[in-house]
């Protein structure tokens, strides 16, 4: 008999230790570690069995599998923005963890996917652990899906769920909303604890793999942006997608964080309307809508999100500081990156920003992670500082190095093409990237380093403010 061993798991991040300790070294949480008995091997699974196994795994060769019929490995939902993120549809037997803030629209998104698949004649099951069947139906009604043959259940016990699912043909898609509410009898812990989440997920994933059903686990995100509890699930699932957006805007962005069967840098853009999520096939025009072109402090960046170019507006406000220490605040971009740009502008372009508060915002609630946005952020800052509005029809692309040099970005021609399509006439880009720009109808203004960027903008400054600019310089 194998000895049943006990381990200690952090209840907030899932890190496992051999003995108890007061502080989790992985997430630095105090008093988060609790003793757990290692769950007994689950019956009827395909996973590894410890001890007492029958020792008869089947081994395949890739070559031998080549001829095997792999029928329709994907089921497309027909919602283009969703299929783009999954890599062309839900893969048979694959498991997606969908994370997002409460109220962002996760249940709405999965219900719309269910409705689309059910209407196409597939068996889909929506299991809600949070809402009663009546509430789910009300939402479906609002989404105009009340006539879709989606099977609904309000259940939280995983054994019951799997028994229910095993009746009839294997569903094409199963939704578990949410994984934090699930519990299994195999684990002695309260629902929502790490061991319950892990145990329940393990059983459901095993079910998906054996039945060939695509499974979506919905998970809530904690305030610090972690998928609470389900973080321990991240490595078990095939794909992790996060649904983002901020409460003040209607845009919602579905982003693939991990994807074993598709690209990880794709995004899907949706708009929350009164009747559910609407696809946004042309997000650039949406993010640029209502742009105030005549004012200083805004610059347009031609971003790439996966294979898709996307134009976004950077807004900056540089204002004299009334306090002893100046404030730097940023929304939609990296705070450290802003500090770096300010330091580079001070060190290499001679700007003095120490006495100024600096605010930077990416319009529309989008979050930009690309280093190539540096030039646009710098241009917005300099424009606000000098009071010179930037040309309304110009985009800025380029990474700023600590030496002040501008470095090229990938996929320059796709970015420029998108900008040209939206009526932009010129682009500021790094000298080193001009060859990769391809033949473009746009006017190209190449700069070697940040001083070129700053002097170009200072030259646009109105007379009164230019004095400030030259004092600065
Ligand atoms: P929901 O999908 O329940 O969020 P989550 O599952 O991520 O917690 O969506 C919640 C919000 O979406 C809620 O505030 C209402 C809004 N909403 C709409 O604006 N239009 C709609 O058609 C629906 C269904 C929801
Ligand atoms: Mg929900």
């Amino acid at each position: 008999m194998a000895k049943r061993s006990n381990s200690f798991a952090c209840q907030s991040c899932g890190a496992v230790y051999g003995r108890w300790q007061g502080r989790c070294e992985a997430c630095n949480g105090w008093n988060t570690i609790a003793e757990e008995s290692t769950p007994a091997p689950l019956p009827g699974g395909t996973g590894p069995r410890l001890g007492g196994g029958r020792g008869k795994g089947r081994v395949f060769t890739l070559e031998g599998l080549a001829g095997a019929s792999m029928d329709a490995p994907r089921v497309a939902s027909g919602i283009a923005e969703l299929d783009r993120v999954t890599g062309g549809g839900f893969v048979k037997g694959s498991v997606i963890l969908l994370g997002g803030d409460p109220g962002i629209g996760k249940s709405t998104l999965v219900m719309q996917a269910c409705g689309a698949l059910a209407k196409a004649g597939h068996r889909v099951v929506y299991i809600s652990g949070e809402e009663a069947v009546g509430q789910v139906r009300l939402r479906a009604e609002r989404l105009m899906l009340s006539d879709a043959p989606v099977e609904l259940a309000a259940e939280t016990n995983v054994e019951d769920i799997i028994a229910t699912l095993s009746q009839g043909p294997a569903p094409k898609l199963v939704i578990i909303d949410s994984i934090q509410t699930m519990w299994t009898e195999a684990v002695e812990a309260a629902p929502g604890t790490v061991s319950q989440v892990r145990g329940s997920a393990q059983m459901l994933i095993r079910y998906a793999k054996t039945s060939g059903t695509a499974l979506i686990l919905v998970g809530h995100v904690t305030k610090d942006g972690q998928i609470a509890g389900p973080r321990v699930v991240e490595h078990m699932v095939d794909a992790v997608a996060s649904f983002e957006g901020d409460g003040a805007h209607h845009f919602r962005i579905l982003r693939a964080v991990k994807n074993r069967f598709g690209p990880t840098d794709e995004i899907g853009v949706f708009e929350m309307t009164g009747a559910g999520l609407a696809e946004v096939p042309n997000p650039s025009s949406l993010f640029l809508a209502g742009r105030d072109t005549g004012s200083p402090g805004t610059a347009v960046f031609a971003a790439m999100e996966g294979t898709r170019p996307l134009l976004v507006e950077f807004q900056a406000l540089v204002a004299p500081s009334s306090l002893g220490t100046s404030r730097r605040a940023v929304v939609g971009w990296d705070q450290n990156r802003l500090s770096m740009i300010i330091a580079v502008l001070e060190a290499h372009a001679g700007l003095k920003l120490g006495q100024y508060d600096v605010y930077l915002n990416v319009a529309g609630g989008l979050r930009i992670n690309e280093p190539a946005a540096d030039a646009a952020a710098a241009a917005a800052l300099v424009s606000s500082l000098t009071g010179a509005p930037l040309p309304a029809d110009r985009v800025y692309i380029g990474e700023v190095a600590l030496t002040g040099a501008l470095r090229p970005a990938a996929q320059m021609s796709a970015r420029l093409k998108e900008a040209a399509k939206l009526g932009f006439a010129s682009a500021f880009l790094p000298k080193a990237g001009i060859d990769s720009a391809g033949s473009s109808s746009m006017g190209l203004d190449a700069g070697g380093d940040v001083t070129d960027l700053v002097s170009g903008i200072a030259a646009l400054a109105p007379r009164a403010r230019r004095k400030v600019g030259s004092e600065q310089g």
Side-chain angles (χ1 to χ4, degrees):
M1 269 289 281
K3 217 170 77 190
R4 239 178 109 89
S5 63
N6 279 7
S7 61
F8 296 82
C10 170
Q11 299 299 305
S12 79
C13 77
V16 179
Y17 299 91
R19 59 183 174 78
W20 188 85
Q21 55 194 59
R23 185 185 199 188
C24 173
E25 284 155 18
C27 70
N28 293 332
W30 287 99
N31 242 344
T32 54
I33 295 176
E35 186 172 6
E36 288 180 354
S37 56
T38 313
L42 301 167
T46 55
R49 275 159 226 257
L50 299 172
R54 282 164 294 187
K56 268 197 223 140
R58 282 181 73 193
V59 176
F60 302 92
T61 61
L62 280 176
E63 189 193 13
L65 285 172
S69 69
M70 297 286 168
D71 61 323
R74 285 182 190 272
V75 203
S77 67
I79 303 172
E81 295 294 304
L82 176 61
D83 290 340
R84 181 205 312 280
V85 175
T86 54
F90 303 113
V91 175
K92 262 186 88 174
S94 74
V95 183
I96 300 174
L97 175 65
L98 174 67
D101 291 329
I104 203 77
K106 300 180 295 298
S107 303
T108 307
L109 178 68
V110 290
M111 179 46 90
Q112 285 183 253
C114 280
L117 283 186
K119 281 188 173 170
H122 300 293
R123 183 184 176 206
V124 291
V125 185
Y126 183 107
I127 312 251
S128 176
E130 299 186 344
E131 293 160 293
V133 170
Q135 288 171 302
V136 178
R137 206 189 63 89
L138 271 180
R139 181 186 293 111
E141 217 161 71
R142 191 170 172 189
L143 301 173
M144 291 185 285
L145 290 171
S146 42
D147 57 338
V150 179
E151 295 177 35
L152 302 179
E155 255 310 335
T156 53
N157 179 276
V158 175
E159 281 83 4
D160 289 351
I161 290 171
I162 292 179
T164 313
L165 294 178
S166 306
Q167 295 164 5
K172 276 280 184 316
L173 178 68
V174 171
I175 310 290
I176 300 291
D177 188 3
S178 67
I179 186 65
Q180 274 112 332
T181 56
M182 296 295 141
W183 64 281
T184 158
E185 282 147 23
V187 178
E188 293 165 31
T193 55
V194 168
S195 34
Q196 272 296 2
V197 167
R198 185 169 39 204
S200 308
Q202 228 160 31
M203 289 189 76
L204 289 164
I205 291 169
R206 210 163 281 185
Y207 166 78
K209 300 283 168 202
T210 46
S211 65
T213 297
L215 176 68
I216 299 182
L217 304 174
V218 174
H220 294 294
V221 163
T222 54
K223 0 180 222 332
D224 52 355
Q226 305 288 6
I227 301 181
R231 228 190 119 190
V232 297
V233 178
E234 279 182 8
H235 70 277
M236 299 198 267
V237 299
D238 300 304
V240 179
S242 75
F243 204 36
E244 305 164 356
D246 76 50
H249 294 97
H250 295 295
F251 319 126
R252 299 285 183 269
I253 293 171
L254 183 67
R255 198 184 285 275
V257 183
K258 156 186 171 176
N259 196 348
R260 285 187 186 146
F261 304 115
T264 49
D265 44 8
E266 290 291 1
I267 63 166
V269 184
F270 297 89
E271 188 178 1
M272 184 60 98
T273 69
L277 292 158
E279 296 178 56
V280 179
N282 186 3
S284 294
S285 54
L286 190 77
F287 287 118
L288 293 182
R291 196 156 68 97
D292 181 5
T293 48
S295 315
T298 73
V300 175
F301 168 51
M304 284 305 287
E305 290 286 354
T307 53
R308 173 157 62 173
L310 188 64
L311 297 192
V312 289
E313 185 191 38
F314 273 72
Q315 303 169 342
L317 177 64
V318 179
S321 182
S322 53
L323 300 168
T325 50
S326 47
R327 263 180 72 84
R328 273 96 176 82
V330 52
V331 178
W333 205 45
D334 184 19
Q335 178 94 41
N336 293 332
R337 204 86 205 167
L338 173 64
S339 307
M340 196 195 93
I341 296 293
I342 292 175
V344 170
L345 287 174
E346 288 185 333
H348 298 290
L351 300 187
K352 292 184 183 64
L353 290 158
Q355 301 303 309
Y356 291 87
D357 288 339
V358 176
Y359 302 90
L360 189 76
N361 177 36
V362 177
L366 195 69
R367 204 185 151 74
I368 295 290
N369 298 317
E370 263 192 296
D374 292 353
L381 289 176
V382 177
S383 162
S384 177
L385 179 71
T386 57
L390 300 174
D393 56 357
R394 168 169 290 201
V395 294
Y396 291 81
I397 308 164
E399 180 179 346
V400 173
L402 284 177
T403 57
L406 289 168
R407 305 176 57 171
Q411 290 165 288
M412 205 59 109
S413 64
R415 295 174 200 260
L416 295 177
K417 224 188 207 160
E418 173 80 359
K421 206 168 87 191
L422 282 148
F424 285 80
S426 69
F428 178 89
L429 71 181
K431 257 190 195 123
I434 204 137
D435 298 335
S436 59
S439 60
S440 169
S441 55
M442 306 245 295
L444 300 181
D445 177 9
D449 56 31
V450 282
T451 48
D452 296 343
L453 180 72
V454 173
S455 58
I457 297 169
L460 302 165
R463 238 161 235 295
R465 292 297 293 269
R466 197 181 300 167
K467 218 172 128 256
V468 181
S470 60
E471 262 168 29
Q472 278 280 333

